[in-house]
Amino acid sequence: MKLKARILGLEAEKPIVIVNKEDAEDIDVRPLDRVELILGKKKGSAIVNVATHFIKPGEIGLYGEIAEHMEAMHNDEIEVIPSAPPESLIHIREKLSGKTLSNDAISKIIEDTVHRRLSEIEMTAFVTALYNHGMTTGEVAALSRSMALTGKILDLGKKEIYDKHSIGGVPGDKTSMLLVPIVGAAGLTIPKTSSRAITSPAGTADRFECLAPVDLSLEEIKGVVRKINCCLVWGGAVDLAPADDLFIKIEYPLSIDPLLLPSVMSKKKAVGAKYLVIDIPTGEGTKVKTTKDAESLAEDFIALGKKLGIITVGASTFGEQPIGNAIGPSLEAREALSIMMKGKGPADMIDKVTHIAGILLDFRMGNGGKKEALRLIKNGKSYKKLKEIIEAQGGNPRVKPEDLKIGPEKVEVKSGVSGMVGWIDNQSIVEISRAAGTPKDKGSGIYLRKKVGDSVKKGDTLFEIYAEKNYKLERALKIAKSVRVMGVGKKHEMLLEKIPRKIDHPKYFILER
Amino acid sequence: MKLKARILGLEAEKPIVIVNKEDAEDIDVRPLDRVELILGKKKGSAIVNVATHFIKPGEIGLYGEIAEHMEAMHNDEIEVIPSAPPESLIHIREKLSGKTLSNDAISKIIEDTVHRRLSEIEMTAFVTALYNHGMTTGEVAALSRSMALTGKILDLGKKEIYDKHSIGGVPGDKTSMLLVPIVGAAGLTIPKTSSRAITSPAGTADRFECLAPVDLSLEEIKGVVRKINCCLVWGGAVDLAPADDLFIKIEYPLSIDPLLLPSVMSKKKAVGAKYLVIDIPTGEGTKVKTTKDAESLAEDFIALGKKLGIITVGASTFGEQPIGNAIGPSLEAREALSIMMKGKGPADMIDKVTHIAGILLDFRMGNGGKKEALRLIKNGKSYKKLKEIIEAQGGNPRVKPEDLKIGPEKVEVKSGVSGMVGWIDNQSIVEISRAAGTPKDKGSGIYLRKKVGDSVKKGDTLFEIYAEKNYKLERALKIAKSVRVMGVGKKHEMLLEKIPRKIDHPKYFILER
C-alpha cells in the first residue's frame, strides 16, 4: 500500500511510523508490528504506531530517525509492506520461557538493541526475563562480548592494561579520581573511563569535569594514554558498549539491575583490560547489604573475568556512610585535589583508595601495594600525575581547591542534641543532595562536618547544604527537615528503627555502574 | 518549576508530558518518572518524556489526554513538581520478584492500568512477571474481580444467567452465533457478549455484524435481553473489563497470554453469569495441543469459577481443521444463517454446537441437552429466535444468506493430485484469509470445498478465496502458493513433516478470547 509521507518533528530514537487505523487494518498490521518501507531505491524497516486522528487515512507519519534514513520529504509516496519481526524477538521469547540463549541469539538481541530495532515492550520483556530467569556464566560472557563489540573499542596495542570499577552506591566516593593518579604514578597503564551520575549525587566523570574536560574522543584518549599512561574520561562520549545506556532506560523505572555484570565487564573488555579490581561497597544503605552477598557477587565477577581473559579481584568495602566529607561534583573535586596536594585528608578516604590501588599495584609487585600507594600520595608523585592528567585532557594543572566554585547558596544544619554520631543515612544524603541540584549544578551538594563516631555538642553544625539556586536550596532543606540524616545519641544506644517507619522513601534505587 | 504549556496534537492514551533535558535535570526527573502538574485549581499527574530539540527549555509539551484533563491552553504557566510513582508500581516490582500479591495490591494495579497511570515498561513488567511466576488461584480470582469492577456491569437482576466462551484458535468457528438462538429458544437467559478478531479471520462480533448491529449500549442490551432473553453483541462497545484490551496490547507483540483466565472470567463476572461452558478447541494448529493440556486448563477454569460463584464446565473440542466450510465474516454469517433456516448444515458444525449448547441445557434439564439442542435447530425454533435477536438489535430479520455480500474478487485453488485430504493447516488458512482482507473487509475470506477425509480428484477445487479488493486477492494468492494449506495424498500416508521445514511462519500466535 502506498501512503503519503508526513515528516513529524518528533524524536523517538527508534524507527517509528504512524499510520491511520483504517490503513493499518488494510495492511493487516497492529500497533508495534513491523513494516518495510520503500521509497525509490531506499529501503527501511520501522515499527508501526496506529492513530485515529493525528494521521489521516492515506498518510504515514515518520519520526525523525526513519525520515532521515529514508531521505523522505513531505508528500513522498512510500510503499508500506508488513514484515516479520526481527529474529531477535524469537530469542527474547525463548528467554522469557526460561531457555538458555546461544551466543548467536545473544549477539542478535544486542545488535537489534543497539540499532534500535526493538520496541520498549520487547526490550522490557528481555530485561525482565534476565531478571526472572537469571543467566548462566556463558550467557553473561556472551552478553559482555556482544555489548563490547557493538560499540567502539579502545585499542592501545598494549597487553598490560589495568582497570578499576566500583559498583557504586556510596555518596562522596572519590576513589577513582585519586586511584588513577596513584596507579599512573606507579607506571601502570590505566585508561579509566567513568560514568556520569544516574541516581547518585555525582559520578567520577561529573567530579573530574570540575578539573578538566572529560568528553574526549577515542583518538584523543589514545593520545593522552600514550603520553602519560593514564586518563580520567567520560565513557559515554566514546560509545563504549552503547547497549548499556539503552538497558538502563528500562531498568531504572523498574528498579532492577539484572545487567550489572555484563554492563561493567563489557566496558572493561572494550578498553582491553587485563587486570581489574572491583570495589563492592557493602552494608546498610548500599546496593550490597552483607559481606556474604559481596563475596558471592565478587565470585561472579571473577568467574566472568576468567571467561573474558580479565584477571579480576573483588574488594568488599565499608559503605554505611559517605566516603570523606564532601558530596557533589565541585565539593568532591575540591576534597580530592586537596588530598593530592597536601598528601593527606579524611582517614576513611585515604584508607580506601590505598587499599584498592594497592590491589592493582600488587598485580605488578606481588605485595606491599597498599604501602606503596600511600607513599605515592605522601611524596607528591600522585599529585604530579594528577596535574599531568589535567593538562593532557585540556584543563589547568595549576588549579587550586579554592578555585572550584561552590554554592553560592548555603545553609548549615545543626544538632539539637549532644552525643555521638551513631549513623548517617546514605539515602537521605542522596535525596537532599539531588534536591540541592547535584549532579547538574556542579557547585551544589553537602559537606559533612561530623561523621560516624564523632562527638557532637548541641548547636554544632552537622552538615552544610550548598546550592546554585535558592529554590533548590529550599527544596533540599525541606527534605532535610523531613528525613533523619544522622543519628546523634548516647554511645550505646541500641534501637535502630521502629517499625513501621513514620517516613518512607517511596522510590530509592541505586543504579550506578 | 513553572513551564509554559505547548499543546501537542498527539494521542497517547496516557497522561504524558514532554520536557526539555535541561529542565528535567533541574526538576530532577528522568524519562518515565512522574510529575505533579498544577494549573490554577486543576491538578494532574503525568509521566515524563524528555526531549532535546522538540521541546525547548522553559516549555512543557502536553499530549491530548493530559491537556484536556488540565484544561490547559497554549502558553499557560504550569507548575511541575516531581512526584512518587503510583503505589501499584511497588506491587509490580513485588510480583517481578516472585511474591504473591494481595487482593488489595492487585486491585491497585488494575485501577492504575485502567486509568492509564502506568507506562508501557511498567505494564510489560507486570505481564511478564505473571507469565514467569504464574499466579495462585487467589491471585487469578482477584484479577478477575478487579478487572470486572473497573468496568461496566450488566445487571439484569436475574440469578440464572447462562454463558458460553471459546478460548478460540480455530478458523470458521460459528458456535456462539448458533448456540445463542438455540439456548435462547429453550428459554434460558444468555446475554452473550463477544469480541472482534484480534489475530483470527473473524470474531463472533464481526460475523454477527453482517446480520445486525452489535455495538449496543448497556441500556440497549438490557432492553433486548429483557424482551427476548438473549443477545449477540460486541463486548468492546460496553466497556466490560476494559483492562483486558490494555493487557492485550502488551501480550500481542510478545506472543504470550498469561491473562487468559482472568480475561475470560472477568467478562463473565461482569454480565453476572451463573452457569458457564468453556469451549477449548484442542489439537495441532490450535492454542491447546493435547487433551491433557485441555483438561488442565478446564480444571483451572472450574476452580476459578468456584471462587467467583460461576458453575463452570469445560469442553475439549476437535480443532485440527476449520469448523464448517466458511471462513470470513460474511461467508460465516451466510453459513450460520443457512444452518438455522434449513435446520441442517456441515456435520462437524452441527455436532459441535449441539454438544456445547447441550451442556448449557443440561444445567437446567439434567440430561438430554444435546438432543434437545438438535431438536431446536431442526424444528425451526432456533431460527425463529435468531430472527428475534436480529430484529431486537436493529437488523432485518428477513435477511437471506444470498443477501450477504461476498467477494466480488474470487479465485479457486485446485488440487494438482488425486487422493484424500489428510489435513488442513489452520495457520495457513488464517494467513491467507487475513491477507485477503478479513476481518476488516467483511466479504473476504475462504470457502473450503474439501475437508479432512474427503476424496479429491486432480483438478477439483480445494478452496475458494474471496476478496473485496484485487490487490488483497493477489496478496492472499501469493501466500496460498507459498504455504501448504491442505495435504492431499494416499489414505495411509504417514509422514507428517520433514524437519527442518522449508517454509516457516515467522510469527503466528493466536490471541483470541
Side-chain angles (χ1 to χ4, degrees):
Chain A
M1 175 174 259
K2 287 210 168 184
L3 297 172
K4 248 185 199 165
R6 247 186 77 190
I7 312 300
L8 308 172
L10 288 167
E11 307 159 42
E13 293 194 339
K14 279 193 176 60
I16 290 181
V17 294
I18 313 181
V19 299
N20 185 274
K21 193 164 178 278
E22 289 273 317
D23 291 330
E25 283 172 4
D26 273 330
I27 306 167
D28 200 19
V29 287
R30 289 171 50 83
L32 304 187
D33 274 345
R34 263 76 176 184
V35 286
E36 201 192 327
L37 306 178
I38 306 172
L39 173 58
K41 281 179 183 172
K42 277 274 164 190
K43 283 190 180 190
S45 173
I47 296 170
V48 172
N49 282 3
V50 174
T52 48
H53 305 295
F54 181 59
I55 296 292
K56 289 177 189 52
E59 287 183 348
I60 180 166
L62 289 92
Y63 274 67
E65 196 187 57
I66 184 75
E68 218 166 276
H69 171 80
M70 296 296 293
E71 296 173 8
M73 312 280 282
H74 240 47
N75 292 330
D76 273 351
E77 294 247 314
I78 298 182
E79 177 80 34
V80 184
I81 303 163
S83 65
E87 193 195 319
S88 62
L89 185 53
I90 297 165
H91 302 307
I92 290 176
R93 283 189 213 129
E94 286 167 354
K95 188 71 203 176
L96 207 50
S97 304
K99 233 182 115 173
T100 298
L101 296 180
S102 68
N103 292 354
D104 187 51
I106 284 173
S107 68
K108 288 222 162 63
I109 294 171
I110 299 302
E111 271 166 32
D112 285 342
T113 297
V114 171
H115 292 104
R116 312 290 207 280
R117 291 188 202 116
L118 297 170
S119 73
E120 276 186 348
I121 289 176
E122 292 155 354
M123 293 220 4
T124 305
F126 181 59
V127 170
T128 56
L130 296 182
Y131 179 74
N132 277 307
H133 297 293
M135 288 162 268
T136 65
T137 314
E139 285 180 309
V140 184
L143 274 167
S144 307
R145 270 190 223 103
S146 294
M147 286 167 73
L149 289 173
T150 45
K152 298 254 172 73
I153 297 289
L154 180 70
D155 184 5
L156 289 163
K158 287 199 179 198
K159 277 183 188 168
E160 306 276 294
I161 304 288
Y162 292 76
D163 211 342
K164 174 262 177 188
H165 195 89
S166 167
I167 65 155
V170 194
D173 195 350
K174 305 136 200 101
T175 305
S176 289
M177 216 171 135
L178 299 171
L179 175 140
V180 171
I182 296 169
V183 173
L188 274 49
T189 302
I190 181 163
K192 180 81 184 94
T193 64
S194 300
S195 54
R196 295 191 184 277
I198 304 174
T199 55
S200 73
T204 295
D206 301 311
R207 291 170 190 122
F208 197 66
E209 201 170 32
C210 300
L211 301 180
V214 294
D215 46 351
L216 277 65
S217 72
L218 212 60
E219 281 313 304
E220 288 169 332
I221 294 173
K222 276 188 196 171
V224 169
V225 179
R226 274 189 196 127
K227 200 170 156 192
I228 60 164
N229 67 285
C230 57
C231 68
L232 265 162
V233 298
W234 177 40
V238 282
D239 218 24
L240 299 176
D244 192 40
D245 278 349
L246 304 168
F247 288 131
I248 286 174
K249 284 186 186 162
I250 307 293
E251 295 173 313
Y252 171 73
L254 301 175
S255 302
I256 59 174
D257 192 9
L259 282 139
L260 173 64
L261 271 99
S263 157
V264 170
M265 293 303 257
S266 59
K267 285 170 188 163
K268 303 304 152 193
K269 194 75 200 153
V271 300
K274 190 170 177 193
Y275 300 103
L276 174 66
V277 58
I278 300 276
D279 174 18
I280 304 173
T282 308
E284 184 84 20
T286 72
K287 259 192 227 180
V288 175
K289 308 297 176 200
T290 67
T291 47
K292 206 172 166 208
D293 292 342
E295 272 170 35
S296 152
L297 182 61
E299 278 159 15
D300 289 344
F301 270 112
I302 291 164
L304 178 57
K306 250 179 210 157
K307 289 219 166 230
L308 298 171
I310 302 172
I311 300 162
T312 305
V313 169
S316 163
T317 59
F318 183 78
E320 299 199 351
Q321 68 171 339
I323 316 291
N325 299 306
I327 296 113
S330 246
L331 284 156
E332 295 189 44
R334 272 189 174 203
E335 187 170 76
L337 186 58
S338 162
I339 291 170
M340 292 276 104
M341 284 178 81
K342 297 181 184 162
K344 62 182 183 179
D348 59 344
M349 183 70 257
I350 301 278
D351 189 66
K352 176 164 182 176
V353 70
T354 51
H355 261 298
I356 305 286
I359 290 170
L360 286 182
L361 297 181
D362 281 346
F363 281 125
R364 168 76 58 91
M365 302 164 56
N367 59 58
K370 183 175 192 299
K371 228 181 218 171
E372 175 65 10
L374 190 61
R375 208 177 60 87
L376 290 166
I377 297 178
K378 290 197 182 292
N379 68 11
K381 289 205 173 156
S382 300
Y383 177 49
K384 190 168 163 274
K385 198 73 192 176
L386 177 66
K387 285 193 287 183
E388 284 178 22
I389 303 172
I390 294 172
E391 187 162 26
Q393 293 188 191
N396 172 16
R398 284 166 303 278
V399 64
K400 303 265 173 312
E402 52 275 23
D403 297 336
L404 305 176
K405 276 186 192 143
I406 55 170
E409 305 287 336
K410 180 186 165 185
V411 69
E412 292 180 355
V413 176
K414 295 177 195 294
S415 183
V417 292
S418 295
M420 198 195 79
V421 178
W423 50 262
I424 301 179
D425 182 32
N426 284 339
Q427 179 172 341
S428 300
I429 292 287
V430 170
E431 280 187 29
I432 295 166
S433 172
R434 289 199 63 118
T438 66
K440 195 199 173 212
D441 300 344
K442 291 221 153 29
S444 62
I446 292 176
Y447 194 87
L448 300 171
R449 289 285 165 198
K450 300 287 176 186
K451 291 196 65 181
V452 172
D454 287 354
S455 298
V456 173
K457 276 187 200 129
K458 190 176 164 179
D460 278 358
T461 299
L462 293 173
F463 57 94
E464 298 148 358
I465 309 174
Y466 292 86
E468 293 186 358
K469 289 169 188 159
N470 184 266
Y471 82 90
K472 293 193 183 183
L473 189 74
E474 293 293 332
R475 193 168 74 177
L477 195 59
K478 199 175 153 192
I479 294 173
K481 282 177 180 167
S482 75
V483 296
R484 290 189 68 197
V485 183
M486 286 186 183
V488 180
K490 288 187 192 123
K491 204 171 174 186
H492 298 291
E493 236 179 57
M494 292 296 286
L495 181 70
L496 287 172
E497 192 180 12
K498 273 183 205 157
I499 297 147
R501 305 215 273 182
K502 269 195 189 147
I503 297 143
D504 228 325
H505 301 276
K507 168 146 187 169
Y508 180 69
F509 179 66
I510 304 160
L511 189 65
E512 298 296 329
R513 273 142 182 196
Chain B
M1 176 174 261
K2 287 210 169 183
L3 297 171
K4 249 187 197 162
R6 247 185 75 189
I7 312 301
L8 309 173
L10 288 167
E11 305 160 43
E13 293 194 339
K14 277 192 178 64
I16 290 180
V17 295
I18 314 181
V19 298
N20 185 273
K21 194 165 176 280
E22 288 273 317
D23 291 332
E25 284 172 4
D26 272 331
I27 305 168
D28 200 19
V29 287
R30 290 172 49 84
L32 304 186
D33 274 345
R34 263 76 176 186
V35 286
E36 201 190 330
L37 307 178
I38 306 171
L39 173 59
K41 281 179 183 173
K42 276 274 164 189
K43 284 190 179 189
S45 172
I47 296 169
V48 171
N49 282 3
V50 174
T52 47
H53 304 295
F54 180 58
I55 296 292
K56 289 178 188 54
E59 286 182 350
I60 180 166
L62 288 92
Y63 274 66
E65 196 188 57
I66 184 74
E68 218 166 278
H69 171 79
M70 296 295 295
E71 297 173 7
M73 311 281 282
H74 240 47
N75 290 331
D76 272 351
E77 296 247 314
I78 298 182
E79 176 80 35
V80 185
I81 304 163
S83 64
E87 192 195 318
S88 63
L89 185 55
I90 296 165
H91 301 307
I92 290 176
R93 284 188 213 131
E94 285 168 355
K95 187 73 204 177
L96 207 51
S97 305
K99 230 182 118 173
T100 298
L101 295 179
S102 68
N103 292 355
D104 187 51
I106 285 174
S107 69
K108 288 225 162 64
I109 293 171
I110 299 301
E111 272 165 30
D112 284 342
T113 297
V114 171
H115 292 104
R116 313 290 208 280
R117 290 187 202 119
L118 297 170
S119 72
E120 276 186 349
I121 289 175
E122 291 155 356
M123 293 220 7
T124 305
F126 181 58
V127 170
T128 57
L130 295 182
Y131 179 74
N132 277 307
H133 297 293
M135 287 162 269
T136 65
T137 314
E139 284 179 310
V140 184
L143 274 167
S144 308
R145 270 189 224 105
S146 294
M147 286 167 74
L149 289 174
T150 45
K152 297 254 171 71
I153 298 288
L154 180 69
D155 183 5
L156 289 163
K158 286 198 177 198
K159 276 184 188 167
E160 306 275 293
I161 304 286
Y162 292 75
D163 211 342
K164 174 261 176 189
H165 195 90
S166 168
I167 65 155
V170 195
D173 196 349
K174 303 136 201 101
T175 305
S176 289
M177 215 171 137
L178 299 170
L179 175 141
V180 171
I182 296 169
V183 173
L188 274 50
T189 302
I190 181 163
K192 180 83 183 93
T193 64
S194 300
S195 53
R196 296 189 183 279
I198 304 173
T199 56
S200 73
T204 295
D206 301 311
R207 293 170 189 121
F208 197 67
E209 200 170 32
C210 300
L211 302 180
V214 294
D215 46 353
L216 278 65
S217 72
L218 211 60
E219 282 311 305
E220 288 169 333
I221 294 172
K222 275 188 196 173
V224 169
V225 177
R226 274 187 197 132
K227 200 170 156 193
I228 60 165
N229 68 281
C230 57
C231 68
L232 265 161
V233 299
W234 176 43
V238 281
D239 218 25
L240 299 175
D244 191 39
D245 278 350
L246 304 168
F247 289 131
I248 286 174
K249 284 186 185 162
I250 307 293
E251 294 174 313
Y252 171 74
L254 301 175
S255 301
I256 59 173
D257 191 10
L259 282 140
L260 174 65
L261 272 100
S263 157
V264 170
M265 293 304 256
S266 59
K267 284 168 189 165
K268 303 305 151 193
K269 193 76 201 153
V271 299
K274 186 165 180 196
Y275 300 104
L276 174 65
V277 57
I278 300 278
D279 175 17
I280 305 174
T282 308
E284 184 82 22
T286 71
K287 259 191 227 183
V288 175
K289 309 296 175 200
T290 67
T291 47
K292 206 172 165 210
D293 291 343
E295 273 169 35
S296 151
L297 182 60
E299 279 159 15
D300 288 345
F301 271 112
I302 292 164
L304 178 57
K306 248 178 211 157
K307 288 219 166 231
L308 298 171
I310 303 172
I311 300 161
T312 305
V313 169
S316 163
T317 59
F318 184 77
E320 299 199 351
Q321 66 171 337
I323 315 292
N325 299 305
I327 296 112
S330 245
L331 283 156
E332 295 189 44
R334 270 189 176 202
E335 188 171 74
L337 187 57
S338 161
I339 290 169
M340 293 275 102
M341 282 178 82
K342 296 180 184 162
K344 62 181 182 181
D348 59 342
M349 184 70 257
I350 302 279
D351 189 66
K352 175 162 182 177
V353 71
T354 52
H355 261 299
I356 305 287
I359 290 170
L360 286 183
L361 298 181
D362 280 347
F363 281 125
R364 169 76 60 92
M365 302 163 57
N367 59 59
K370 183 175 192 302
K371 228 180 216 171
E372 175 65 10
L374 189 61
R375 208 177 62 85
L376 290 165
I377 297 178
K378 289 196 183 290
N379 68 11
K381 289 206 174 155
S382 299
Y383 178 50
K384 189 167 164 278
K385 199 73 193 176
L386 177 66
K387 286 193 287 184
E388 284 177 22
I389 302 171
I390 294 173
E391 187 162 25
Q393 293 189 194
N396 172 15
R398 284 166 302 280
V399 64
K400 304 268 174 309
E402 53 274 24
D403 297 337
L404 305 177
K405 276 185 193 148
I406 56 170
E409 306 286 337
K410 180 187 166 184
V411 69
E412 293 181 354
V413 176
K414 294 177 195 295
S415 182
V417 292
S418 295
M420 199 195 80
V421 178
W423 51 262
I424 301 179
D425 182 32
N426 284 339
Q427 180 172 340
S428 300
I429 293 285
V430 171
E431 280 187 30
I432 296 166
S433 172
R434 289 198 62 118
T438 66
K440 193 199 174 209
D441 300 345
K442 290 219 153 29
S444 63
I446 292 175
Y447 193 86
L448 300 172
R449 288 286 165 197
K450 300 287 175 188
K451 291 197 65 182
V452 172
D454 288 355
S455 297
V456 173
K457 277 186 199 129
K458 190 177 163 178
D460 278 359
T461 298
L462 294 173
F463 58 93
E464 298 149 359
I465 309 174
Y466 292 85
E468 294 187 356
K469 287 168 189 160
N470 184 267
Y471 81 92
K472 293 194 183 182
L473 189 74
E474 293 293 333
R475 192 167 76 176
L477 196 59
K478 200 175 151 192
I479 294 173
K481 282 176 181 168
S482 75
V483 296
R484 290 188 68 198
V485 182
M486 285 186 183
V488 179
K490 287 185 194 128
K491 205 172 173 185
H492 297 292
E493 236 179 57
M494 293 297 285
L495 181 70
L496 287 173
E497 193 182 12
K498 273 182 205 156
I499 296 145
R501 305 212 275 183
K502 267 195 190 148
I503 296 144
D504 228 323
H505 301 276
K507 168 146 187 171
Y508 181 69
F509 178 66
I510 304 160
L511 189 65
E512 297 296 330
R513 271 138 185 201

